[in-house]
Structure formats: C-alpha cells, structure tokens
Amino acid sequence: MPAGPEATAESLPLGDVAIDDAFWNRRLETNRDVTIAHQYDQLAEHGCLENFRRVADGEAGGFQGPMFVDSDAYKWLEAASYVLARSDDPDLERRVEDVIDLLAAAQADDGYLNTYFMLEEPDARWENLAVMHELYCAGHLIEAAVAHYRATEDTALLDVATAFADHVDRRFGPEGDDGVPGHEEIELALVELYRVTDEERYLDLAQHFVDVRGQDPSPLADELANIDDIAGAEFVHHGERSADVAREHFLVDGEYDGSYAQDHLPIRDQTTVEGHSVRAMYYYTAATSLLQEREDADLFDAVQRLWRNMTEKRSYVTGGIGSEHEHEGFTEDYDLPNDTAYAETCAAIGSIFWNRRLHELTGDSTYADLIERTLYNGFLSGIGESGDRFFYVNPLESDGDHHRKEWFYVACCPPNAARLLASLGRYLYARSERDRAIYVNQFVGSDVTTTLDGDDVSFTQSTDYPWESETAVEITHDEPVEFELRVRVPAWAEDVEGTVDGETVASSAEDGYVAVDREWAAGDRFELSFSQPVETLSAHPKVRENAGRVALRRGPLVYCLEEADHDVPVEAIALPDDADVTASFDPDLLGGVVALDAAGLASDVATWDGALYRPTDDVETEDVPVRAVPYYAWDNRDPGAMTVWIESA
Ligand code: FUB
Ligand code: ZN
C-alpha cells in the first residue's frame, strides 16, 4: 500500500513553476489584476474588513455578513499570497500586510480570532460548532498563513495562525473538550501547518479531528438537541434563524442525521459520499493528506472507496459534484439533474484539492485526469471572462436565467476560485525522490526550476493545449541528471506517441504515463502527441435526465450549446448519430476557442400550433446548423439558454 511518507510524491512548490501558456496566461493575469482587486473591494464594501477593524478597536456589536465571513478575507489573503510567491507587486504586498496587521490587532490575547463571536457573543465561543463555523474560519486562517509564509518567509500571519491553532489545541486537543467541526476545513489546514512548522501536535490535532467525526453519540447531535439555546441560535442567516437552518440541514424526520456533515459514520466505515459536497471534499482532502504522513490501511481503503463512489455514480460530466440545492450536496447514485444541478464552484475546487493529494499519495494518473476534467470544466465555468463575475452554482442546462454575479452574501466561491487560479502551478508537476521521477501531470506551458534529491532539474514545457494535443518538454539544466520523466497521457487520448529528440520511445501509455528513464541533459527534448477527436458521450442508463441524449467532448473540454449561436431553441436541437462534427479554432469567439460545428435537426416549433402533444410521426423537423462551445465559456455573451446534454436523433 503506497501510504506513508516513504511512498509519497510531492507536487512541485509554487515558486518552482513559472506558467507561460497561451490558454492560461490571460486567465492568470485577469485573476491577478482584476479578480484579486475586485474581491478586496467587495470585502471592504460588504463589511468583512470592517468586522476586523471593529474588533481591533475594541468595539462591540455591528457584525456584518454570514457567520463565516472571516474566511472570505482569509481566502483572499491566500490568493494574494500565491500571487506574491510568483511576482513582485509592492501595492498588493502592502495591502496584504495591512490586512495581516488588522488581523493581528484583532486577535485576542489567548489566540482566539473570530469576528462574529468577538463582536456579538464574546462569552459563547465554541458552543455551536455545528453551525457557527469557528473551526472552519480558523482553518482558512491557517491555510492563508501557510501560503503567506511559503511565499514571503515572513512570519507575521503565521504567528497569528499558530497562536490560534495553539488555542484550538488547548481547547480540543488530547486533554480538551469533545468537539466536531460542523464544516470540515481545519483538518486539512493543520496538516499544512505541521508541514511548515514541523510541530507534530498539529498533525495529531488534524488526526484527532478526522477521527472524531462519525462517533456515536456525536457531539454535533448534542448541539442540535440544544440548538435553540446555544450560541448563534438567533443569528439571522440568509434571512432565517440559524437554529432553523441547522435543523433543516442536520435533521431528517426530526432526528439528528450526521450525513450532511459526514458525521453519520466513522470515515473508515463510510462507503458513499454523502451530504454537503464542499464539506466532504475538504474532509477527504484532509484524510488523504494524513495518509501522506502516516500509514493507515483502513483509511486508505476508505478514501479510495469514497472516490470510486463519487466518480462512478455521483459526478457530472464536467467534474462538478453535488446535485442538490437544499443541502448543497450529494443525493443518491445516478441522481444528476442538469437544470437543477448545484455543482458548487467550491465543490469542484475541493475535488481538485483532494485529487492532488491522491495523486501525491499514489502517483496514479487517474487523479490527474480528474483534476484536468474538473479544472477545464466544472471549475473554470465558475469565473467569467472579465474576472469580476462568478458562478456559485454550475448547472448543465439553463433556460437563460442563470448568470454570474459580482459577489454573493455567502461569497465562498469567488475567493476560492481566486486562490486555486493563483496556485495553479501547484497542480502541474510532481516529483518522487523514491522513484527519482518527475511527473508532468498537466499540459500547461511553463518554465520549471526545481531539485530532485539534491540535483538541479529544470525544463520548459511548451504546448497549445487544450486546443492542440501536443506538448514538448525541453531540458534546460546545466549538469546532466538521471531521472524518469513521466508524462501523463489522458485516459481518452488516442494515437499516443512519445519521442526523445525525434526518436520514438513509446507508442502507448503504461499506467497512464509515458515514462522515459535516462540521463537528461540540456537541449534534450521530449515530445508527446496524441489525438483528441470529438467524442459523443452517453450517460449511464440510470441517469434518467440524460436518456437519449449525448454530450460533446474534445480533449479535456466538455461542450455546450448556447442560445447565442442558434436561431432555434437549444432544447429543440437534436444531433444525428452519424453527425460529422468538425472542430475549428475561432480567434474571435469567446477570447479564442475551438468551436464544434455540425448539421443538426430541430423540431420545428412553429408547426406545433398550440398543441402540447402530437403523434410522433407528425412532428416536423428542420435542418439547422449546430455550434457547440466549451462549457467553461458559457454565459459570457447575451443571456440565453444553454445545454450540455443534447437530444440524440
Ligand atoms: O459554509 C461555508 C460555505 O458556504 C460552504 O462551503 C459553502 O457550500 C457555502 O454554504
Ligand atoms: Zn462556494
């Protein structure tokens, strides 16, 4: 079993990877120049920063936003820190430092920091872990601090975070109170904190929080039993008493049901992904991070079992997860409605977090495949082309009413998207000192300067992915170094060929990689090519909504039909089985995309003439041109209907 530190590959640090890529440059620049500035303005406008200022100035009351709004500032700090890790930006640096100073000034002497409680209920800390998100916010503070420390080596934010982590440890650690975070997040953050501080007790605390969930009786059940009388009960969240919101989420037929927060069973006994999907992803990310540090066969089996359930039965073709609005989460196997899909942007991000750890743990390309699918589809759809509009919910079908917004009352998704984009470099490569191997997991143009077991390794990856399906890795380090270069071949790729300096070295992938073990010297060039034909995909027959429908995919991209490209309603369009679908790059469309074109059929709506039902033989169709565009790019033109799954004729 590949668990434990010995077997772990590690993603290359952000500082080792300089992205320079035709597809991603514009997005990363927009994230840096527009999104991060826009989000700061939103934090200021919606009172998030004002909450910290009021606490720092010793004021009381006046808290603004949802109970976990502190986490928006922390995620923003994390995103900004990743930007600073890769570029000099004195203005951003100053702004980051000002926010850090504000947090430090707001922090209580005992390390506690949460603006809701400090302003509104100072004597009721830690009473309501189910709903009030104190540990969740602490986790985001810790993640931000780790990112800032790694980027700058400055300890100002890390000092705030460790003081809070120590406080949490005193309260909930081995000698402390029972307590289960209602929303996972602190677990994965504590593992990262352990990694930068080497303090084993942070890892122990992460382990504790992972293990304590799902016990019977659950401390969360106790809180729910007293939910009207404990902290936060009267707090109005989304226009409702938070105690009532809690009951809706955690109770089924009036009884506590832990599945909303993955508290229904100990993780090692869980077999299906349940409940709120962001919570689930952060939890499984933490469990997998723990496995990278400590061997645990039962936990390893559990995360693999849960991953299979998610990917084989509970995921959208876009990589999106969570099909239901009320609990923002998973429902049942094959329940994947398109128009009412939730597929929260944060859940896609959480899945990417989890899959990165799974890849690091196992070296298995399958996880990098899923990162790719989610990144280019269910995640990227969450951010508009302009960089200041965001989807929270990512449906696969819309009647034209679903649009990105500049901010949300619950604004978890925008800064989450910003931190993932700003740290994209972490998702491209990994190294395994045990195997003396470098993994190229994603095809993104970049200059890499790293080390492998003390040897300097550097190379440049060049590619026009996702539009073209070739990539080249050219070695640039001075001294020759022996290692195995493992370049991922996506599961859908055909006609694979790997060459070194023009000589074929592989014509298929083994275990998802073309691997070349040799001494690599400056100027050596590895090239990978494969074909990425347009494919029509069908869904499992149990996905009722997709019966008789197909989705179009080319390479990593899932496509959709948008009203903007059609004179007939997109839901009336059918694609013949033998349709000849052509792919061509259009530089003027949606910032430059490969569009798919085909001859299709459409039910002639005008001929229905007031009828609701008709004999099928009487239904008249017309020939129509069909154009599909990448799903990630939808809703960037005139508002209109959209569908991923197309009627098959
Ligand atoms: O509860 C904190 C965040 O708000 C969750 O992760 C999102 O799903 C949203 O509910
Ligand atoms: Zn979100």
Side-chain angles (χ1 to χ4, degrees):
M1 189 196 65
E6 293 304 308
T8 310
E10 59 166 342
S11 298
L12 292 191
L14 199 52
D16 290 6
V17 181
I19 293 176
D20 183 8
D21 180 86
F23 182 82
W24 288 103
N25 280 358
R26 176 165 58 88
R27 293 178 167 81
L28 301 193
E29 280 158 21
T30 303
N31 191 48
R32 191 187 62 210
D33 299 340
V34 178
T35 308
I36 288 180
H38 167 80
Q39 295 190 353
Y40 179 87
D41 292 345
Q42 297 295 323
L43 295 177
E45 188 180 324
H46 290 91
C48 174
L49 299 176
E50 175 68 3
N51 288 338
F52 286 105
R53 192 204 55 77
R54 291 176 73 82
V55 174
D57 289 351
E59 296 175 18
F63 174 82
Q64 300 174 67
M67 59 284 244
F68 44 80
V69 71
D70 292 0
S71 62
D72 296 342
Y74 301 150
K75 279 190 260 184
W76 178 86
L77 272 176
E78 189 182 337
S81 299
Y82 294 139
V83 167
L84 294 177
R86 287 259 26 120
S87 52
D88 281 336
D89 185 336
D91 291 341
L92 183 62
E93 206 173 323
R94 211 165 309 117
R95 189 166 260 190
V96 164
E97 282 166 8
D98 287 348
V99 176
I100 293 172
D101 287 347
L102 187 60
L103 305 189
Q107 185 165 39
D109 291 344
D110 63 359
Y112 184 84
L113 181 55
N114 181 288
T115 66
Y116 171 78
F117 281 97
M118 294 169 95
L119 291 172
E120 302 292 338
E121 300 194 66
D123 300 326
R125 299 169 176 183
W126 306 124
E127 264 181 34
N128 185 350
L129 301 186
V131 177
M132 296 310 285
H133 286 69
E134 282 157 291
L135 290 168
Y136 168 88
C137 290
H140 278 301
L141 169 62
I142 294 168
E143 279 204 278
V146 169
H148 185 256
Y149 173 70
R150 285 186 173 142
T152 63
E153 292 184 10
D154 179 85
T155 58
L157 189 55
L158 194 63
D159 290 344
V160 175
T162 50
F164 199 5
D166 293 344
H167 178 103
V168 171
D169 194 29
R170 287 193 295 276
R171 181 87 194 199
F172 297 105
E175 310 297 317
D177 296 350
D178 287 346
V180 175
H183 192 314
E184 300 92 324
E185 157 62 24
I186 193 161
E187 306 83 351
L188 74 90
L190 285 166
V191 179
E192 295 300 323
L193 187 62
Y194 158 72
R195 288 176 178 160
V196 295
T197 60
D198 246 351
E199 286 280 0
E200 191 86 15
R201 67 205 156 88
Y202 297 138
L203 192 62
D204 290 340
L205 190 57
Q207 175 95 55
H208 167 76
F209 279 134
V210 166
D211 290 346
V212 79
R213 187 171 296 278
Q215 305 304 314
D216 187 15
S218 165
L220 289 176
D222 280 351
E223 292 176 15
L224 263 292
N226 299 301
I227 198 73
D228 286 308
D229 305 317
I230 59 175
E234 301 307 328
F235 180 74
V236 176
H237 182 55
H238 263 315
E240 261 189 277
R241 276 180 80 238
S242 88
D244 296 333
V245 177
R247 267 190 286 270
E248 284 159 24
H249 287 158
F250 284 95
L251 305 190
V252 173
D253 297 333
E255 297 291 317
Y256 176 75
D257 178 284
S259 61
Y260 171 65
Q262 300 73 47
D263 188 41
H264 53 301
L265 285 170
I267 187 168
R268 291 169 187 73
D269 298 333
Q270 293 185 17
T271 54
T272 51
V273 287
E274 299 293 342
H276 185 275
S277 45
V278 182
R279 285 168 163 84
M281 291 305 98
Y282 289 1
Y283 189 32
Y284 304 144
T285 299
T288 308
S289 294
L290 272 180
L291 283 166
Q292 292 176 264
E293 306 297 338
R294 293 174 172 171
E295 221 166 293
D296 183 334
D298 292 341
L299 189 58
F300 184 59
D301 287 350
V303 294
Q304 289 198 310
R305 197 165 58 231
L306 291 161
W307 188 89
R308 279 198 306 276
N309 174 250
M310 179 176 91
T311 53
E312 292 169 8
K313 296 179 178 159
R314 299 186 181 197
S315 297
Y316 287 98
V317 68
T318 55
I321 46 172
S323 45
E324 186 231 30
H325 280 238
E326 199 181 323
H327 296 84
E328 305 186 291
F330 296 104
T331 54
E332 291 169 1
D333 291 351
Y334 306 112
D335 176 30
L336 295 163
N338 295 310
D339 52 350
T340 59
Y342 201 65
E344 183 180 340
T345 304
C346 285
I349 292 168
S351 167
I352 291 172
F353 292 164
W354 185 22
N355 279 283
R356 194 187 92 201
R357 272 66 168 195
L358 283 164
H359 178 272
E360 289 172 343
L361 184 62
T362 63
D364 189 333
S365 69
T366 313
Y367 304 118
D369 279 355
L370 184 55
I371 289 177
E372 176 182 87
R373 168 140 63 108
T374 311
L375 185 67
Y376 283 94
N377 301 289
F379 161 69
L380 201 50
S381 55
I383 311 141
E385 289 284 327
S386 63
D388 58 0
R389 295 285 182 281
F390 311 92
F391 277 149
Y392 187 126
V393 171
N394 294 274
L396 283 78
E397 188 174 315
S398 164
D399 60 8
D401 286 343
H402 187 67
H403 307 298
R404 295 184 184 85
K405 296 201 169 88
E406 63 175 14
W407 205 240
F408 305 87
Y409 163 72
V410 169
C412 48
C413 298
N416 224 355
R419 69 178 176 142
L420 180 59
L421 272 182
S423 58
L424 184 65
R426 287 279 275 158
Y427 295 82
L428 312 184
Y429 303 99
R431 64 184 164 209
S432 166
E433 304 216 320
R434 183 199 62 177
D435 296 354
R436 274 196 81 74
I438 297 277
Y439 292 88
V440 176
N441 281 327
Q442 304 300 336
F443 307 126
V444 176
S446 38
D447 293 314
V448 175
T449 306
T450 192
T451 56
L452 183 64
D453 207 12
D455 291 325
D456 290 335
V457 171
S458 45
F459 56 88
T460 297
Q461 182 182 183
S462 323
T463 181
D464 278 324
Y465 205 71
W467 313 126
E468 305 290 338
S469 50
E470 284 109 36
T471 198
V473 173
E474 184 160 333
I475 302 299
T476 53
H477 50 246
D478 292 335
E479 296 295 320
V481 185
E482 186 272 318
F483 64 90
E484 185 165 280
L485 182 67
R486 296 177 178 169
V487 183
R488 181 177 65 95
V489 176
W492 42 260
E494 292 174 10
D495 310 320
V496 178
E497 187 179 20
T499 64
V500 173
D501 298 334
E503 299 281 316
T504 300
V505 289
S507 50
S508 67
E510 261 179 54
D511 298 330
Y513 288 95
V514 165
V516 185
D517 191 352
R518 54 173 264 161
E519 194 172 71
W520 293 95
D524 289 350
R525 186 176 170 88
F526 173 85
E527 289 181 350
L528 178 72
S529 64
F530 46 86
S531 61
Q532 47 182 14
V534 178
E535 286 182 299
T536 53
L537 303 178
S538 299
H540 189 285
K542 287 189 176 167
V543 183
R544 276 176 294 125
E545 286 77 1
N546 295 341
R549 302 170 92 186
V550 292
L552 293 171
R553 181 181 71 189
R554 179 175 183 271
L557 298 173
V558 173
Y559 278 71
C560 68
L561 307 187
E562 277 203 283
E563 191 174 320
D565 298 307
H566 299 94
D567 295 331
V568 296
V570 294
E571 65 274 14
I573 293 174
L575 196 65
D577 282 347
D578 58 357
D580 184 17
V581 185
T582 57
S584 57
F585 187 75
D586 183 341
D588 300 322
L589 182 63
L590 293 161
V593 297
V594 167
L596 306 182
D597 291 287
L601 298 170
S603 174
D604 189 347
V605 179
T607 64
W608 278 73
D609 207 14
L612 188 54
Y613 305 101
R614 299 177 76 182
T616 306
D617 287 347
D618 295 349
V619 174
E620 292 174 34
T621 58
E622 53 179 339
D623 294 335
V624 292
V626 178
R627 165 158 276 208
V629 295
Y631 170 76
Y632 75 74
W634 87 275
D635 194 43
N636 279 294
R637 296 176 288 174
D638 289 344
M642 178 279 295
T643 187
V644 168
W645 289 94
I646 310 162
E647 195 74 35
S648 169

